[in-house]
Amino acid sequence: MSVDPALVENGRLDPLVRRLVAEVLVVPIEQVTMSRALIADLGAESIDFLDLVFQLEEALGKRIPFTRWQSYVTERFGAGDLSQAITAGVVRDFAECETRAE
Amino acid sequence: MILTRRVADGVWLTVYRSLAIVRLHGPERRQADRAAAERAWNLAAAAAGLSPQNAAGSRAHTEGSGAALVGPAGTKMGVDLVPLRRVTARHAQAMLDVQEWDAMEGLGGIGAALAWGLKEAAAKAFGDPGRRFPAGLRIAGGTNGFTVATRGESSSCVLGRWESIGSLLCVWVLGAP
């Protein structure tokens, strides 16, 4: 199944990711900005990231193994503090990668 | 509600559960969760006869509740608290391979939550949890229950135990001292 390229080209990923993060974490969408840390600032737990990947699967219309998210985070942040590092912007960047992946 | 008990020689587990059912979300929930885990840690350390600052172990929190596993330094140990309703078969399928899924058969409604908790607790026990969980760990069934090993390092293995506490499942793992 292919992903609609307009999602990226028209800048629709930001609002999509904000909405999905707000839904999964049950926080007001106004609290979700691209720079806010999902764990430290918005209270995300590990299972929330799996739910986010599920939501992205449905929104993008393609299968996304959870291991891809895990690899993305590991490659990007190495030994850094994930509680501060993973922001909504990181989820957006991951989603953008997924829109381009086969 | 507070549950404190010895789970192995010198190793104490405490679960602290708020009786006030408050549906918190976002940063407020994280704050309440961390406070609950801190309280559990202090209680487990006291039970083990250790000062909270010098105790070794693992802690977990979710939905306003906290758990702590405290014991001798050098012991591989990890704990997780899992809301039973939160982990579905879809979650389990996303993090288990076929052999792991088979090993969890026969556990009924707690299978998915237990698999999740075993991997979370083991990831803490082995260190670097954010990167090991879930694919870097392998669950196996055995005569003494479940073990969790790091993939590619068969010598590094911990034994899992669990207890249902209302709507939560407390899962802990221990390795050899």
Side-chain angles (χ1 to χ4, degrees):
Chain A
M1 199 180 295
S2 62
V3 177
D4 178 4
L7 265 177
V8 180
E9 289 158 13
N10 297 341
R12 281 158 46 198
L13 270 182
D14 280 23
L16 170 70
V17 166
R18 286 183 68 212
R19 178 173 62 79
L20 296 183
V21 168
E23 284 175 6
V24 168
L25 301 185
V26 199
V27 295
I29 197 165
E30 298 76 32
Q31 288 187 15
V32 183
T33 63
M34 288 296 122
S35 61
R36 293 204 81 182
L38 269 55
I39 299 172
D41 296 334
L42 298 175
E45 298 182 339
S46 53
I47 197 168
D48 294 321
F49 292 102
L50 189 43
D51 284 332
L52 266 174
V53 170
F54 290 162
Q55 295 284 347
L56 282 173
E57 279 188 330
E58 282 159 30
L60 300 180
K62 65 175 288 189
R63 170 146 165 67
I64 307 173
F66 187 58
T67 48
R68 281 232 283 275
W69 164 256
Q70 190 183 31
S71 300
Y72 181 82
V73 169
T74 302
E75 284 170 21
R76 184 159 172 178
F77 299 111
D81 177 7
L82 297 182
S83 71
Q84 296 288 346
I86 301 175
T87 61
V90 171
V91 178
R92 186 266 325 278
D93 294 347
F94 173 71
E96 192 174 330
C97 286
E98 285 299 319
T99 63
R100 294 181 175 137
E102 288 298 320
Chain B
M1 187 207 83
I2 297 168
L3 176 154
T4 297
R5 64 186 177 88
R6 192 174 70 92
V7 295
D9 282 347
V11 181
W12 290 78
L13 171 72
T14 293
V15 179
Y16 171 74
R17 240 188 133 199
S18 172
L19 290 175
I21 301 172
V22 181
R23 290 269 169 209
L24 295 173
H25 297 288
E28 292 80 17
R29 189 189 71 186
R30 181 169 167 81
Q31 194 173 12
D33 287 359
R34 288 167 70 97
E38 182 72 18
R39 185 163 183 184
W41 180 268
N42 290 341
L43 291 166
L50 300 166
S51 73
Q53 294 76 21
N54 296 328
S58 170
R59 62 180 87 190
H61 52 67
T62 190
E63 297 188 348
S65 297
L69 191 66
V70 168
T75 306
K76 276 193 176 66
M77 50 189 153
V79 66
D80 194 37
L81 267 183
V82 191
L84 282 163
R85 59 167 176 76
R86 187 79 165 76
V87 187
T88 65
R90 186 180 183 190
H91 293 101
Q93 283 166 351
M95 64 162 179
L96 300 176
D97 62 29
V98 175
Q99 289 77 24
E100 290 176 312
W101 188 242
D102 287 345
M104 305 305 295
E105 256 192 342
L107 287 163
I110 71 162
L114 177 58
W116 183 274
L118 284 168
K119 287 208 173 190
E120 280 269 30
K124 294 174 188 173
F126 291 125
D128 204 7
R131 291 161 189 85
R132 285 193 193 276
F133 179 87
L137 299 162
R138 181 174 46 80
I139 298 173
T143 51
N144 292 322
F146 292 98
T147 59
V148 189
T150 51
R151 288 191 191 272
E153 304 166 42
S154 58
S155 61
S156 204
C157 184
V158 288
L159 181 63
R161 294 279 184 260
W162 64 94
E163 184 168 330
S164 293
I165 303 165
S167 60
L168 298 177
L169 189 68
C170 182
V171 186
W172 64 96
V173 298
L174 286 168

